[in-house]
Amino acid sequence: MMFTLVNLLLLAGIAVTSWLAIRIDDLLGAVVALAGTGAFMTAEYLLLQAPDVAMAEAAVGLVVTPIIFLTALSKIKGGRS
């Protein structure tokens, strides 16, 4: 019962943050929402007892991808000024 409740909450978090990443007009906010999706997915993989996949998701979804997007945003905003 508890596993199902936590699983449903994590899946709802994934759905909400993914929806926010699509719907937010501010690009910085969209990147933060996308990182939130990675955090929820990392927790879901840990709950499903897949620590190797969770570590990979944490590295890529929480660290590498947001850094790449934020670097690209800074280059784009820097080019317009």
Side-chain angles (χ1 to χ4, degrees):
M1 174 71 178
M2 189 65 172
F3 173 79
T4 305
L5 179 64
V6 174
N7 196 11
L8 288 175
L9 288 173
L10 288 174
L11 291 175
I14 291 169
V16 168
T17 54
S18 298
W19 182 79
L20 285 173
I22 294 169
R23 299 298 297 180
I24 293 178
D25 290 331
D26 178 36
L27 294 178
L28 181 60
V31 170
V32 170
L34 188 64
T37 302
F40 279 113
M41 289 181 67
T42 299
E44 179 69 27
Y45 290 136
L46 283 173
L47 184 67
L48 295 174
Q49 298 178 355
D52 52 340
V53 180
M55 287 176 48
E57 177 62 34
V60 174
L62 288 173
V63 179
V64 176
T65 303
I67 287 175
I68 290 172
F69 285 153
L70 291 174
T71 303
L73 281 176
S74 70
K75 299 287 184 182
I76 290 171
K77 289 184 181 180
R80 290 184 183 172
S81 298

